[in-house]
Amino acid sequence: MDQNENETVHLTLAETAKRLRKSQAGIRYMIQTGTGPRSGLIGGRRMFRAADVEAYIASQFETASA
């Protein structure tokens, strides 16, 4: 993903679920239990920074290989 220095790419819940190959309910559960990527409410919508989702994926590989 290309990113401008002053621009942060945000993903919706549906986009994040697709990226992580989970259901939206699964992502909501991960948020509730604190086991998912960082997120925040922007205009009443749950949004994820693309960089945080990628960091979450990388951390899962690090954890699995440890």
Side-chain angles (χ1 to χ4, degrees):
M1 268 182 209
D2 289 337
Q3 233 175 296
N4 187 345
E5 287 182 25
N6 296 324
E7 182 181 330
T8 301
V9 176
H10 292 94
L11 304 174
T12 64
L13 181 70
E15 292 168 332
T16 301
K18 185 175 181 179
R19 179 72 180 104
L20 296 179
R21 297 182 184 206
K22 297 190 82 55
S23 68
Q24 290 184 39
I27 299 296
R28 285 187 194 98
Y29 179 78
M30 292 169 72
I31 293 166
Q32 184 178 10
T33 59
T35 60
R38 291 176 47 185
S39 66
L41 291 175
I42 301 174
R45 293 182 72 186
R46 178 68 55 187
M47 301 295 286
F48 301 81
R49 287 185 286 204
D52 289 339
V53 174
E54 295 304 319
Y56 173 80
I57 292 169
S59 74
Q60 296 305 300
F61 277 104
E62 290 172 11
T63 302
S65 63

